[in-house]
Amino acid sequence: MPPKTFTLEEIRQHHDNKSCWVIIHDKVYDVTKFLDEHPGGEEVLIEQSGKDATDAFEDVGHSTDARELMKQYYIGDVAEKDKSSAPKPPKTTGSTEEPPKGGAPFWLVAALLSLGVALVYRFFFAAESNQA
């Protein structure tokens, strides 16, 4: 059985704590029963209700568990005529490589190296001054 479809006009009518629907990736979720349980508070969901909340959802960086939990609130899809015109690429932070772990930050290495050079310089010049 194909999923039920909803127009934006229908979805916009569900924008309060009595009936709270959100759109995420062109799928419609009735999160009314989840309002009290949402870790970010019900205000966050109500603010995004009745409209496309995809960007807000992705900006927060929800966990895999949160994405699994969403499935139980799925009620249908956005009507084809109201779907986002172009698919949005996944947001990236620039590099796909993870930063190295466990290493000291560059500024710390540079500071320690500078301190070492200063101490060595002082030690040798202090030794020459005392011999003269």
Side-chain angles (χ1 to χ4, degrees):
M1 182 172 169
K4 184 166 178 162
T5 59
F6 299 95
T7 65
L8 286 178
E9 190 58 41
E10 290 174 296
I11 296 164
R12 285 186 190 118
Q13 295 173 16
H14 302 272
H15 59 86
D16 56 34
N17 63 349
K18 300 206 183 330
S19 184
C20 184
W21 292 9
V22 294
I23 302 167
I24 299 173
H25 297 294
D26 291 326
K27 295 187 180 303
V28 182
Y29 299 89
D30 180 352
V31 293
T32 310
K33 294 179 182 175
F34 185 63
L35 291 176
D36 291 335
E37 300 172 37
H38 187 256
E42 70 178 36
E43 301 83 20
V44 176
L45 291 174
I46 293 171
E47 181 180 314
Q48 296 300 319
S49 65
K51 59 185 179 181
D52 191 336
T54 302
D55 288 340
F57 180 82
E58 293 299 341
D59 286 348
V60 172
H62 284 88
S63 67
T64 305
D65 290 341
R67 293 172 190 276
E68 280 297 313
L69 185 64
M70 283 174 53
K71 291 177 182 178
Q72 67 183 313
Y73 299 104
Y74 171 75
I75 57 172
D77 292 336
V78 175
E80 201 61 43
K81 69 179 180 89
D82 292 328
K83 284 188 177 182
S84 303
S85 57
K88 296 177 184 173
K91 293 194 177 199
T92 61
T93 56
S95 174
T96 57
E97 296 180 24
E98 287 191 32
K101 295 186 177 158
F106 176 75
W107 65 267
L108 181 60
V109 173
L112 290 175
L113 185 60
S114 297
L115 181 62
V117 168
L119 290 174
V120 168
Y121 180 80
R122 185 167 186 181
F123 175 75
F124 281 112
F125 277 101
E128 285 181 15
S129 306
N130 289 341
Q131 291 176 356

